[in-house]
């Protein structure tokens, strides 16, 4: 006899591209949200609430894919800011928008039902801005958190981007000490 848990919940895993773990002001950073939907998941809406530190500004959603392909049935709505109206978007429709430091993506219950046993991967970019916290590498000073809400269940995952200071010394030709 095999026992199968009936109440499995979706989960989310957030990652920053390895090449973007340390970034400078003005550089784009790529983040990936991987939502795993168990085969036994009930049909409820999934909300991904992504909140970036003040040192990151949302740039664009690059793609929304299912198991590394882009099927027509992975549709979503997004709120690009708290005051923006909800609208159905394609992955490229938000290009060029510069909302604040958070967004919400909703996968409707019909999408959850159609994607049971699969993963949905959301890839997006944010830009490191002038408010980024400069810190020692490895401290994840510019945190970026995602919260998955599904019925009465929620889960969070956080990653960070380090921004390191660069000290520039200016020398004139006559003196060997740095000029202020």
């Amino acid at each position: 006899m095999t026992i199968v848990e009936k109440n499995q919940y979706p989960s989310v895993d957030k990652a920053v591209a390895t090449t973007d773990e340390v970034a400078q002001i003005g550089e784009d950073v790529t983040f990936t949200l991987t939502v795993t939907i168990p085969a036994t998941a009930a049909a409820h809406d999934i909300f991904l609430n992504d909140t970036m530190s003040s040192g990151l500004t949302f740039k664009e959603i690059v793609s929304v894919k299912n198991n590394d392909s882009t099927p027509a049935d992975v549709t979503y709505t997004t709120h690009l800011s708290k005051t923006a109206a909800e609208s159905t978007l394609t992955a490229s429709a938000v290009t060029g928008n510069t909302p604040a430091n958070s967004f919400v993506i909703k996968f409707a219950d019909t999408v959850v039902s159609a994607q049971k046993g699969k993963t949905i991967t959301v890839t997006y970019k944010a830009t490191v801005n002038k408010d980024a916290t400069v810190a020692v590498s490895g401290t994840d000073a510019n945190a970026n958190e995602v919260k998955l809400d599904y019925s009465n269940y929620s889960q969070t995952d956080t990653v960070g981007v380090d921004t390191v200071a660069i000290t520039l010394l200016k020398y004139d030709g006559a003196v060997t000490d740095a000029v202020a």
Side-chain angles (χ1 to χ4, degrees), residues 22-179:
V22 177
Q24 297 299 316
I25 294 171
E27 290 183 340
D28 289 344
V29 179
T30 302
F31 294 94
T32 304
L33 308 174
T34 304
V35 179
T36 302
I37 303 174
T40 59
H44 296 290
D45 295 343
I46 292 177
F47 293 90
L48 297 176
N49 301 286
D50 198 290
T51 305
M52 294 167 260
S53 74
S54 60
L56 295 167
T57 303
F58 175 77
K59 183 176 182 180
E60 66 180 323
I61 294 177
V62 176
S63 65
V64 180
K65 297 179 179 180
N66 154 350
N67 293 349
D68 297 323
S69 63
T70 309
D73 60 349
V74 177
T75 56
Y76 60 95
T77 57
T78 185
H79 298 269
L80 295 178
S81 69
K82 291 184 173 145
T83 59
E86 182 175 310
S87 59
T88 301
L89 301 171
T90 63
S92 60
V94 296
T95 301
N97 288 344
T98 54
N101 300 15
S102 65
F103 63 91
V104 177
I105 294 176
K106 172 188 171 187
F107 293 104
D109 59 352
T110 54
V111 173
V112 174
S113 291
Q115 300 303 316
K116 286 183 179 184
K118 298 179 183 176
T119 59
I120 298 174
T121 304
V122 177
T123 303
Y124 71 93
K125 290 187 178 191
T127 304
V128 179
N129 64 44
K130 65 178 179 53
D131 297 325
T133 301
V134 176
V136 177
S137 184
T139 60
D140 294 339
N142 298 289
N144 186 338
E145 178 183 272
V146 66
K147 180 180 179 190
L148 177 145
D149 288 313
Y150 170 80
S151 186
N152 62 349
Y153 171 79
S154 66
Q155 178 219 334
T156 60
D157 193 15
T158 304
V159 297
V161 175
D162 293 329
T163 304
V164 293
I166 297 175
T167 303
L168 298 176
L169 300 176
K170 180 179 177 183
Y171 292 92
D172 68 17
V175 210
T176 58
D177 293 332
V179 177

